[in-house]
Structure formats: structure tokens, C-alpha cells
Amino acid sequence: MDDWMGQVAGRFGLLGGEDRLGGECRLNFRGRDAAGPVIVKAMRPGCDPAYVAMQIAALTHAAAADRGLPLPGVKGDPAEVTDDTGAARLVWVQRALPGLPLGAAPPQSLALLRDLGELAGRLSRALSDFGHPLLDPIVQHIVDPHL
């Protein structure tokens, strides 16, 4: 993995020391660049670039709809790299928000869970009018149950 992460580090100006994070369909890493912590998202081989573009568009849309919502910025444009198996992967980088992944945090207080719920509600409102052709029909139904 080090060889292809070297490609990622060179492309996005990372300083090394990437730590693996969880992810359901991609490889995620926490790393650093000169400006601070970042999250590297290496998509599964064969991922449609339009899927990443949709995720970036959703972040941009939500940030414009609720300027106080803590959302990661995107660093540069996605890039294709070849992983250690020879597969092409689309990689993109986000600025990391402060804190730990929820599963790595100590037991969560009711206040923290309440804050998390409030943020989820704000994100839902910010994305309520977001549309994209690649949105799964089930997700689209969750966003707008009247469809």
C-alpha cells in the first residue's frame, strides 16, 4: 500500500503518516498536509467518477445552505492512482474536522448525542433540496418522501 499512497501523497501534498479509518466501500485514511489534518478517500476500483462528483456537490450544496454547519472542505480535484494490486482507484481528499471517529471516542454523553442529532437535522435540512441523477431512489425517497 505504501507505493500507491506515495502517489497520493505526491499528488495532494501529504506529509506521510496516514492512519487507516473505517469505511463501507472505500479505503479511508487520516493524514496531514502543510495546512493540517486531512481525510484521504480512495474509492473502490471501478468507481464512477460521477459518484465522487455527486458527493462533492452535496458537500458544496450543504455548506452553501447552512454556512455554520461543520463540513469538510475538499482539497484539489479527485485523481486516479494505481493501487498495490494494479487496480485504478479514484482518490480525493477532504480537510479533516477536529475530533475522533465516533466509534473511537469514549462513551458518549447524552449532550453529545443530542448535539449529534441537531447536526444531523441541520444537514438534512441543508440537503433537502439537493438532487442528483445518481442518488439512489431509496435515498431520494428519504430526502423527499412525497416522491
Side-chain angles (χ1 to χ4, degrees):
M1 191 171 341
D2 291 333
D3 291 339
W4 72 276
M5 284 303 289
Q7 295 174 56
V8 174
R11 168 66 177 85
F12 291 100
L14 305 182
L15 301 175
E18 294 80 22
D19 295 320
R20 179 92 183 259
L21 300 171
E24 69 279 0
C25 64
R26 68 190 71 80
L27 297 174
N28 298 308
F29 301 89
R30 181 179 288 272
R32 296 190 65 75
D33 67 6
V38 297
I39 302 295
V40 177
K41 303 181 84 54
M43 307 307 286
R44 69 187 179 284
C47 176
D48 183 350
Y51 178 70
V52 173
M54 178 188 67
Q55 292 181 58
I56 293 170
L59 285 170
T60 302
H61 182 91
D66 183 341
R67 298 213 180 270
L69 195 58
L71 293 168
V74 176
K75 178 179 178 167
D77 295 321
E80 188 174 283
V81 299
T82 303
D83 73 13
D84 57 352
T85 69
R89 288 184 179 265
L90 191 60
V91 177
W92 57 299
V93 175
Q94 302 174 344
R95 290 272 154 227
L97 297 176
L100 299 169
L102 191 59
Q108 294 83 33
S109 68
L110 288 178
L112 175 65
L113 295 174
R114 186 175 22 260
D115 289 347
L116 182 60
E118 288 175 10
L119 285 172
R122 286 176 60 193
L123 180 60
S124 180
R125 281 189 300 279
L127 291 171
S128 65
D129 62 344
F130 177 73
H132 193 282
L134 291 181
L135 279 177
D136 183 278
I138 294 171
V139 173
Q140 188 70 356
H141 178 72
I142 292 168
V143 172
D144 185 356
H146 304 292
L147 290 178

